[in-house]
Amino acid sequence: MTFARVLTGEHQVVPLPFSPTALTGISERMITSHHENNYGGAVRNLNRTELELDAITADTPPLLVAALRERELTFRNSKSLHELYFANLGGDGRRSGAIETALTESYGSAARWEEHFRGTASGLGGGSGWATLSLELDTGALRTSWSGHHTQVLATSVPLLVMDMYEHSYQIDFGAAVPRYLDAFFANLHWDEVNRRLEAALRLRAALA
């Protein structure tokens, strides 16, 4: 196996997987700003931070190294979570397939899970963070989790569905009306992508068993 070289500062912005005019209830202006400025900014800052880390020596003050590592984790997770977020948009919002069955088995019904997810996201309204549905690899459970920052993730889990709850993801269109953003998010979900992630996560869990 060949391992990728680290700290190259060569990450690229991944294009939107859908036309910015294609979403229902989410404007081209907002999704474009989100993609170019917030996600793109995270990619650019990650590249700069990696180059700074690549330049450290045995004489670099530990406090500086620690600060750079914190920034690296923040920008790396922001990059990854934004890419997952954009990739699970662009659909018609109709839930079907293996994820429907999995959510029903886990929560009693998919509708009951959606209540949990909406409540989790609503709790972040007016602030910052992420709401995620993930497969926990050690237990095989579907976990709905909350993150108040880019660096807070559920250990040993694979994200299946990611929702950005930073204000930049909705304020241009919805102001402080978080429930309207939640409705628009669910109306545009690309459940085939979520099913693809679930299948991949289940294969990974089986390989680790």
Side-chain angles (χ1 to χ4, degrees):
M1 178 177 179
T2 301
F3 291 91
R5 172 124 186 225
V6 300
L7 304 180
T8 62
E10 295 177 348
H11 300 285
Q12 300 293 318
V13 170
V14 176
L16 282 170
F18 50 81
S19 167
T21 63
L23 301 182
T24 301
I26 298 177
S27 70
E28 177 183 8
R29 179 184 173 215
M30 189 175 77
I31 205 71
T32 299
S33 174
H34 190 176
H35 183 266
E36 293 180 356
N37 298 315
N38 303 104
Y39 162 59
V43 175
R44 291 186 289 273
N45 284 328
L46 175 59
N47 286 336
R48 295 188 191 104
T49 304
E50 284 193 345
L51 294 178
E52 292 286 343
L53 280 167
D54 192 49
I56 67 173
T57 69
D59 296 322
T60 304
L63 284 176
L64 177 56
V65 177
L68 286 170
R69 286 299 182 191
E70 187 277 332
R71 291 287 82 192
E72 179 195 25
L73 182 59
T74 293
F75 296 134
R76 189 175 302 283
N77 276 6
S78 180
K79 172 185 178 296
S80 298
L81 289 167
H82 273 106
E83 288 169 0
L84 290 166
Y85 169 75
F86 291 124
N88 59 216
L89 290 176
D92 60 10
R94 296 175 186 169
R95 188 169 50 235
S96 63
I99 192 64
E100 181 85 20
T101 301
L103 290 172
T104 299
E105 291 178 358
S106 299
Y107 288 84
S109 70
R112 179 63 178 141
W113 162 78
E114 186 172 323
E115 290 178 347
H116 276 267
F117 194 89
R118 283 176 176 262
T120 301
S122 294
L124 291 163
S128 59
W130 302 85
T132 60
L133 171 70
S134 304
L135 177 72
E136 194 172 43
L137 294 174
D138 53 343
T139 66
L142 291 185
R143 304 287 186 192
T144 298
S145 58
W146 170 99
S147 167
H149 194 264
H150 298 301
T151 58
Q152 297 171 336
V153 296
L154 181 65
T156 71
S157 70
V158 177
L160 306 177
L161 176 66
V162 173
M163 183 177 192
D164 192 341
M165 284 304 301
Y166 280 79
E167 287 185 313
H168 63 240
S169 64
Y170 59 86
Q171 200 167 51
I172 289 175
D173 282 354
F174 305 109
V178 171
R180 290 177 55 209
Y181 169 53
L182 296 178
D183 289 343
F185 175 78
F186 273 90
N188 289 283
L189 278 179
H190 185 18
W191 286 102
D192 286 346
E193 171 63 14
V194 179
N195 278 314
R196 186 196 67 76
R197 293 175 190 171
L198 176 60
E199 292 172 5
L202 289 172
R203 289 195 298 270
L204 175 59
R205 183 167 190 264
L208 294 173

